[in-house]
Amino acid sequence: MPSTDRIRDHAGQGATTVAARARRRLRADQARQLADLLRHQILSGGFDSGTLPHESVLATDYRASRNTVRQALDLLRAEGLVARHPGVGTVVVGQKYPHGLDRLMGLAETLHEHGTVTNEVRTMGPAPAPHPVAQRLKVAPGTDVLYIERLRRLNGLPLSLDLTYIPLDIGTALLGADLENTDVFRLLETITGQGLGHAEITLEAVNADAHSAAVLEAPRGAAVLMLERLTHLADGRPVDLEFIRFRGDRITMSGQLRRSL
Amino acid sequence: MPSTDRIRDHAGQGATTVAARARRRLRADQARQLADLLRHQILSGGFDSGTLPHESVLATDYRASRNTVRQALDLLRAEGLVARHPGVGTVVVGQKYPHGLDRLMGLAETLHEHGTVTNEVRTMGPAPAPHPVAQRLKVAPGTDVLYIERLRRLNGLPLSLDLTYIPLDIGTALLGADLENTDVFRLLETITGQGLGHAEITLEAVNADAHSAAVLEAPRGAAVLMLERLTHLADGRPVDLEFIRFRGDRITMSGQLRRSL
């Protein structure tokens, strides 16, 4: 029941044009609606075989027209989730991996069921803390902190680009550590001899700039899930400020929220 | 300390080219690093006046070259966060609003400090539940559920496009409710006489398709923060399945994670 009544007949425009516009809008709305349902099925492994049912089956199952089904599949193809293979049909190509949002976890930790995380350390070394970094890590502005830049891969595929700031008294011990194969979280717990406590996080969706896109091997302008995270040790001390760009087509973040705290 | 050692001198390529490439890469990395720090300052209201300090001041404050500062500001301009006004300098133009991630909240509820949320109901009516919707709402497949599509605005600016499915026994009471000015969450609590319990959520970053972008008045391909949320009543019954597209340039989601549960 679309609100086609919102589409008015303007002077100089025939009723046919208006009706055509209303039909296009209705189909686009229905295609989005169907695409969202199919996306959920794809991400939750609802198409075990890796192949989606034929368009006519989807049309029946979802009570949609063939045109709407085609348009919905076009949307998912544009997102890189499915591809059309001649003679085979529509197949699932883009796997997204679920990053837990309920507990503070490192990448290798949260994705351990899905494969091996490796880290390419692009930059690492002490650098004077800019004012906002110093403030958040509670060190004096201009004090050296350890700066690390890592490209993180799951089973070889680029997943995220992480920029990390760590106070130097703790950071120094990281310089000789196996950062290629170990989460910083785990190393921080080993170095400090205490668990991590909590983290303040902020999530955003941004379009990748050309350089970040190139590093992540994603198209320019690709949607990126950006996570800013300030992690504290169990004793409350802030130890790890990160700016993480996840490839939007490879990561989802899932968790549970409660109405009352 | 960039790992320029990774950049090799290929046959047929002069050392100058390689050095130039290394410099470009270093500057792009540094620009991203600076842009992330400035983004945080902008989003947390660190530039009260609404104007960023002069490039030369930023260069000194962040120990960066003028070129790096310019490139970082270019990145933030491309994101729509700042604009350059001749004679004034770089001003903050894009305000992002923080959606709470610690508690299950409706949009008007979470943004009440920032202004008034209004909802344009684009579509509303009963429709047979497709299989995955029926399954999640625990109704028989093909049973009618209430489908609602709303464009949600904060102080008149488009913020999100929400697709909502609600079991019809509860949904019927929504048909006469003031959906234009009230969160569905609040209405559900009034109708059922009980509070909401918990919700399973999944967050993704996707590029907006042409039609969704047009509805949200965003550029085609704009990064969208996509939230899928299944909300349950306090007694555990699932009552509200939503697919929400937030404009990436207008919403952030913030919360706290703990290491141990």
Side-chain angles (χ1 to χ4, degrees):
Chain A
M1 229 205 303
S3 56
T4 43
D5 60 336
R6 285 179 186 281
I7 297 169
R8 309 271 177 230
D9 193 351
H10 296 291
Q13 233 175 4
T16 315
T17 315
V18 173
R21 186 139 49 96
R23 271 197 307 275
R24 269 202 306 279
R25 174 177 149 174
L26 172 56
R27 193 154 70 220
D29 284 344
Q30 289 175 337
R32 181 199 301 114
Q33 190 183 348
L34 176 55
D36 285 349
L37 298 177
L38 293 174
R39 184 189 299 102
H40 175 83
Q41 292 288 88
I42 292 168
L43 297 181
S44 62
F47 301 114
D48 280 343
S49 64
T51 307
L52 270 64
H54 189 267
E55 282 177 11
S56 61
V57 177
L58 289 174
T60 308
D61 282 0
Y62 290 89
R63 295 165 202 253
S65 73
R66 288 287 285 274
N67 269 334
T68 300
V69 170
R70 261 181 229 124
Q71 212 170 326
L73 294 176
D74 283 347
L75 293 176
L76 297 174
R77 220 164 34 234
E79 281 182 38
L81 273 181
V82 301
R84 183 173 295 164
H85 289 180
V88 180
T90 301
V91 298
V92 177
V93 288
Q95 194 175 354
K96 290 204 185 191
Y97 301 95
H99 194 306
L101 200 54
D102 283 327
R103 237 193 92 200
L104 181 58
M105 278 189 293
L107 195 65
E109 215 176 343
T110 196
L111 297 180
H112 73 278
E113 286 171 18
H114 300 280
T116 307
V117 170
T118 51
N119 310 301
E120 177 190 328
V121 178
R122 304 179 77 238
T123 306
M124 169 144 127
H131 187 74
V133 172
Q135 198 176 25
R136 301 185 76 200
L137 288 179
K138 296 201 175 148
V139 300
T143 311
D144 271 1
V145 293
L146 182 68
Y147 176 69
I148 313 171
E149 208 174 298
R150 292 170 299 162
L151 175 61
R152 315 195 68 181
R153 291 189 171 88
L154 178 70
N155 303 328
L157 288 178
L159 219 58
S160 70
L161 178 62
D162 296 21
L163 280 51
T164 305
Y165 301 85
I166 294 174
L168 203 56
D169 60 314
I170 295 171
T172 302
L174 279 175
L175 287 166
D178 181 15
L179 275 166
E180 304 273 339
N181 299 296
T182 324
D183 283 345
V184 163
F185 275 5
R186 181 175 298 253
L187 295 169
L188 289 174
E189 294 186 320
T190 307
I191 292 167
T192 63
Q194 63 174 305
L196 298 174
H198 71 283
E200 288 111 32
I201 66 162
T202 299
L203 280 162
E204 296 170 68
V206 299
N207 292 97
D209 61 275
H211 183 65
S212 300
V215 173
L216 287 165
E217 298 171 24
R220 185 170 179 159
V224 158
L225 192 58
M226 172 106 189
L227 171 61
E228 197 198 293
R229 182 176 64 196
L230 178 63
T231 302
H232 304 252
L233 290 173
D235 68 11
R237 180 181 171 194
V239 284
D240 176 4
L241 175 61
E242 299 203 29
F243 298 86
I244 306 173
R245 281 170 174 78
F246 289 108
R247 273 184 61 150
D249 58 345
R250 300 217 167 122
I251 279 283
T252 68
M253 304 206 80
S254 293
Q256 219 182 76
L257 301 184
R258 313 208 140 262
R259 182 68 164 159
S260 49
L261 290 178
Chain B
M1 230 204 304
S3 55
T4 44
D5 60 335
R6 284 180 186 282
I7 297 170
R8 309 269 177 232
D9 193 352
H10 297 291
Q13 233 176 4
T16 314
T17 315
V18 174
R21 189 142 46 97
R23 272 198 307 276
R24 268 201 307 277
R25 174 178 151 177
L26 172 57
R27 193 153 71 219
D29 285 344
Q30 290 175 337
R32 182 199 301 115
Q33 191 183 349
L34 177 54
D36 285 350
L37 299 177
L38 293 174
R39 184 188 300 102
H40 175 84
Q41 293 287 89
I42 292 167
L43 297 181
S44 61
F47 302 114
D48 280 344
S49 64
T51 307
L52 269 64
H54 190 266
E55 282 176 12
S56 60
V57 176
L58 290 174
T60 309
D61 282 1
Y62 290 89
R63 296 165 202 253
S65 72
R66 287 286 287 273
N67 270 335
T68 300
V69 171
R70 262 180 228 124
Q71 213 171 325
L73 294 176
D74 283 347
L75 293 175
L76 298 174
R77 218 163 37 231
E79 282 183 37
L81 273 182
V82 302
R84 184 174 292 164
H85 288 180
V88 180
T90 301
V91 298
V92 177
V93 289
Q95 194 177 351
K96 289 204 185 189
Y97 301 94
H99 194 307
L101 200 55
D102 284 326
R103 238 192 91 201
L104 181 57
M105 278 189 293
L107 195 65
E109 215 176 344
T110 196
L111 297 180
H112 73 277
E113 286 171 17
H114 299 280
T116 307
V117 170
T118 51
N119 310 302
E120 177 189 327
V121 179
R122 304 179 76 237
T123 305
M124 170 146 127
H131 188 73
V133 172
Q135 199 176 23
R136 303 185 76 201
L137 288 178
K138 297 200 173 149
V139 300
T143 312
D144 271 0
V145 292
L146 182 68
Y147 176 69
I148 314 172
E149 207 175 297
R150 292 171 299 162
L151 175 61
R152 314 194 68 181
R153 292 189 171 89
L154 177 68
N155 303 327
L157 289 177
L159 219 58
S160 71
L161 178 61
D162 296 21
L163 279 52
T164 305
Y165 300 85
I166 294 174
L168 204 56
D169 60 315
I170 294 171
T172 302
L174 278 175
L175 287 167
D178 181 15
L179 275 166
E180 303 273 338
N181 299 295
T182 324
D183 283 345
V184 163
F185 276 4
R186 180 174 300 252
L187 295 169
L188 289 174
E189 294 187 319
T190 306
I191 291 167
T192 63
Q194 63 175 304
L196 297 174
H198 71 283
E200 289 111 32
I201 66 163
T202 298
L203 279 163
E204 295 171 70
V206 300
N207 291 98
D209 61 276
H211 183 64
S212 300
V215 173
L216 287 166
E217 297 171 25
R220 184 169 179 160
V224 158
L225 192 59
M226 172 107 189
L227 171 62
E228 198 199 293
R229 183 176 62 196
L230 178 64
T231 303
H232 304 253
L233 290 173
D235 67 12
R237 179 181 172 194
V239 285
D240 176 5
L241 175 61
E242 299 204 28
F243 298 87
I244 306 175
R245 282 170 173 80
F246 289 108
R247 274 184 60 150
D249 59 345
R250 299 218 167 123
I251 279 284
T252 69
M253 303 207 81
S254 293
Q256 220 180 77
L257 301 184
R258 312 207 140 265
R259 182 67 165 161
S260 48
L261 289 180

